[in-house]
Amino acid sequence: MSDTRLHILDTGRTLTAQRGYTSVGLTELLATAQVPKGSFYHYFSSKEDYGCALLRHYVEQYRIELAPTLNNPSLTGRDQVLSYVTAWQDRQSSDMAGQKCLIVKLAAEIADLSPAMRGILQQAVEGITARLADCLRKGQQDGSLSPDVDPVQTATSLYQIWLGASLMAHLSQDSTPFDTAMVQTRTMLPPPRQT
């Protein structure tokens, strides 16, 4: 990936995380990135093409950012999931817009706007929930999680709980929804019963 294209995408991620996709015009994006309009159209055929590239780039970076949590082999499966949701809370509570999850920010905004962009986000969510389910299965195998937990259903529910908590925390401007989500998460991830 060229430096200019990457710079446009990184600048766009920060602006989009701050204000959303439709609120960031091409003129503002290029002025902030200090890139001429011709360079934009050299890399992207339209704003939607740019939006798709932005989301693919974000998803790729996010997969790398999972290393200390869902991809951490030194943690039990249960602790991988708890580490992931703790990191989620930290990112969404951050004052740095570039740290926040674009899926949370854009899901409702682009759902009816662009089928292509919606598809990228949907695939990303499916990938994350599948990885969560893998961690839950690992937890059952390593003995850190009850065998009664349904990995797929629980992974999907956990993702939905944290997505909802992020939206509610944004509305309320406090961390109470995250605290509630963490209590619910721990309830959904019981260790095996001692016999």
Side-chain angles (χ1 to χ4, degrees):
M1 184 178 303
S2 80
D3 290 344
T4 302
R5 185 175 191 273
L6 183 59
H7 178 62
I8 293 169
L9 292 174
D10 287 340
T11 302
R13 176 180 174 173
T14 300
L15 291 172
T16 301
Q18 289 170 337
R19 298 203 328 275
Y21 175 74
T22 56
S23 295
V24 177
L26 183 57
T27 302
E28 179 186 9
L29 171 64
L30 297 176
T32 304
Q34 298 181 333
V35 173
K37 195 172 191 175
S39 291
F40 178 87
Y41 285 109
H42 174 74
Y43 298 109
F44 312 104
S45 62
S46 64
K47 188 174 180 195
E48 183 180 20
D49 181 45
Y50 153 77
C52 289
L54 173 70
L55 293 177
R56 283 189 205 98
H57 179 62
Y58 170 74
V59 169
E60 181 181 309
Q61 286 182 316
Y62 191 71
R63 283 189 186 120
I64 294 167
E65 292 169 11
L66 291 177
T69 61
L70 297 183
N71 296 338
N72 188 337
S74 68
L75 298 175
T76 66
R78 182 176 186 270
D79 285 344
Q80 285 177 323
V81 175
L82 290 172
S83 179
Y84 172 75
V85 296
T86 299
W88 180 319
Q89 179 175 351
D90 291 345
R91 273 193 315 275
Q92 290 303 114
S93 300
S94 170
D95 291 333
M96 297 174 58
Q99 295 292 314
K100 298 190 183 222
C101 178
L102 285 186
I103 295 172
V104 172
K105 183 74 174 179
L106 300 181
E109 180 183 355
I110 66 164
D112 297 324
L113 180 67
S114 167
M117 291 173 68
R118 182 180 67 240
I120 293 166
L121 288 183
Q122 182 61 36
Q123 279 187 317
V125 169
E126 289 169 1
I128 293 166
T129 55
R131 186 67 196 104
L132 285 167
D134 288 344
C135 291
L136 296 174
R137 286 185 200 96
K138 177 185 174 184
Q140 290 172 326
Q141 292 167 357
D142 66 29
S144 63
L145 184 65
S146 169
D148 298 330
V149 170
D150 179 316
V152 173
Q153 184 180 38
T154 302
T156 301
S157 296
L158 285 173
Y159 192 86
Q160 291 169 351
I161 287 168
W162 283 89
L163 184 63
S166 297
L167 296 173
M168 295 305 295
H170 187 66
L171 286 174
S172 65
Q173 294 294 295
D174 73 30
S175 65
T176 304
F178 292 128
D179 298 337
T180 303
M182 187 61 80
V183 169
Q184 186 63 29
T185 297
R186 290 186 179 280
T187 301
M188 293 171 69
L189 302 178
R193 291 190 198 107
Q194 300 299 317
T195 55

